[in-house]
Amino acid sequence: MFDFTKLSNAVIEGDNEQVQVYVKEAIDAKVDPLTIINEGLIGGMNVVGQRFKVNDMFVPEVLMSARSMNAGIELVKPFLAGGEMSNKGTVIIGTVKGDLHDIGKSLVGMMLECSGFKVIDLGVDISPEEFMAAIKENDGKILALSALLTTTMLSMKSTIDVCVEQGMRDKVKVIIGGAPISQEFSDQIGADGYAGDAAAAVELVTKLLKDNEMVAR
């Protein structure tokens, strides 16, 4: 039996080199590629997510862990049968028009990827029309909007308004986040939810997609 603890710990510590060493060991030992990802790499990131939530880890450390996990996944990818990595749903994420902040958004994107979602990160300063085009092109189920400036908060409302105008609002769940954002603001502009940090965003996306499945049934 391969010991996944050392691989998970290397991810938690953000140690790229050790992660790659242990992933290669697992591949050489003929461990199932998906098991390497789920037990070792995502297993480590799950711990990171929990520690981040209780302020036991901070953004720079989480980013290091996420990068080391991605380094491990890149090594495993060639051994996966086509498209075998789980995709729980596609999330379109970006920072709204007029705002150039991206650390929080990138962190949310990484944590969602770690949790098995497909993430299309559009970057910063994204117009409502660009968000809509990405939803259509990628069959996005969740639209995640980020803003760090109070002056760009209203761009979130504009994006939701365009979503309604284009008849897409019932096809996609909209979540928002960023330093000045609150649940109250989320309710005011008609978003489906607000997440205060990356771990909360993963929980919210998981819940919204689960609720969607229930309705579809």
Side-chain angles (χ1 to χ4, degrees):
M1 273 293 288
F2 185 80
D3 177 14
F4 287 108
T5 313
K6 58 187 184 182
L7 176 52
S8 294
N9 285 341
V11 170
I12 295 164
E13 285 157 19
D15 189 333
N16 280 21
E17 282 180 29
Q18 282 304 113
V19 166
Q20 290 173 318
V21 166
Y22 294 140
V23 166
K24 284 173 186 165
E25 273 181 25
I27 291 168
D28 291 343
K30 302 281 189 285
V31 178
D32 173 59
L34 272 183
T35 307
I36 298 173
I37 291 171
N38 292 327
E39 301 277 328
L41 298 168
I42 292 179
M45 273 314 284
N46 286 341
V47 175
V48 171
Q50 291 308 315
R51 287 176 61 179
F52 177 64
K53 205 173 175 184
V54 297
N55 292 327
D56 191 28
M57 281 181 88
F58 300 98
V59 170
E61 297 162 295
V62 175
L63 289 173
M64 280 173 65
S65 294
R67 286 190 191 111
S68 67
M69 186 208 70
N70 285 333
I73 285 180
E74 286 308 311
L75 287 179
V76 179
K77 266 185 185 170
F79 298 93
L80 287 169
E84 200 185 329
M85 271 185 80
S86 65
N87 176 11
K88 296 179 183 173
T90 300
V91 180
I92 310 295
I93 190 169
T95 303
V96 293
K97 189 78 184 154
D99 204 318
L100 302 174
H101 293 87
D102 79 339
I103 288 183
K105 171 208 40 94
S106 298
L107 187 57
V108 170
M110 281 179 176
M111 296 282 271
L112 284 166
E113 276 188 336
C114 299
S115 302
F117 295 97
K118 182 180 179 187
V119 176
I120 309 293
D121 188 341
L122 300 180
V124 299
D125 192 24
I126 304 300
S127 70
E129 291 72 22
E130 287 171 300
F131 279 120
M132 297 312 117
I135 292 167
K136 288 175 188 162
E137 198 177 315
N138 300 284
D139 190 26
K141 302 297 181 200
I142 298 275
L143 176 60
L145 306 175
S146 172
L148 204 74
L149 304 171
T150 49
T151 50
T152 57
M153 287 166 67
L154 287 177
S155 292
M156 291 178 158
K157 183 178 186 314
S158 310
T159 303
I160 292 174
D161 290 346
V162 171
C163 198
V164 173
E165 284 161 21
Q166 295 197 9
M168 293 164 63
R169 187 64 187 90
D170 58 340
K171 297 182 182 72
V172 64
K173 297 288 185 188
V174 182
I175 70 166
I176 62 174
I181 309 301
S182 64
Q183 184 59 54
E184 187 185 4
F185 181 70
S186 169
D187 296 339
Q188 277 174 9
I189 66 169
D192 292 294
Y194 149 76
D197 59 49
V202 173
E203 285 175 13
L204 180 59
V205 168
T206 305
K207 180 184 179 301
L208 287 172
L209 287 180
K210 207 166 272 177
D211 292 349
N212 238 12
E213 279 172 23
M214 297 290 191
V215 173
R217 280 181 202 149

